[in-house]
Amino acid sequence: MKFSVPAVILIVLGVVLLMNNLGLADFDLGRLIMRWWPAILIAVGISMLFRRGNPR
């Protein structure tokens, strides 16, 4: 099974938004993104690095 970082990011984002809409959690998405954007950039960069080094 191939691991896709963008797919996982979308799934996690969807779960967070769904939990917020259902009242199961109280997330401030703007504050969450502002705090974690450097880690998101690092994860995307690592994903791109491994994808380029592994040609199909």
Side-chain angles (χ1 to χ4, degrees), residues 16-25:
V16 167
L17 291 173
L18 181 62
M19 288 176 63
N20 196 24
N21 285 342
L22 293 175
L24 298 173

Side-chain angles (χ1 to χ4, degrees):
M1 181 164 77
K2 186 177 177 186
F3 182 72
S4 176
V5 172
V8 171
I9 291 171
L10 286 176
I11 290 169
V12 169
L13 183 62
V15 168
V16 167
L17 291 173
L18 181 62
M19 288 176 63
N20 196 24
N21 285 342
L22 293 175
L24 298 173
D26 187 25
F27 290 108
D28 183 8
L29 191 58
R31 188 177 65 193
L32 188 66
I33 290 173
M34 290 302 292
R35 180 173 290 159
W36 288 100
W37 71 268
I40 294 169
L41 287 178
I42 291 168
V44 170
I46 289 172
S47 170
M48 291 172 67
L49 182 67
F50 283 117
R51 192 172 301 156
R52 285 186 184 199
N54 205 6
R56 286 182 127 170

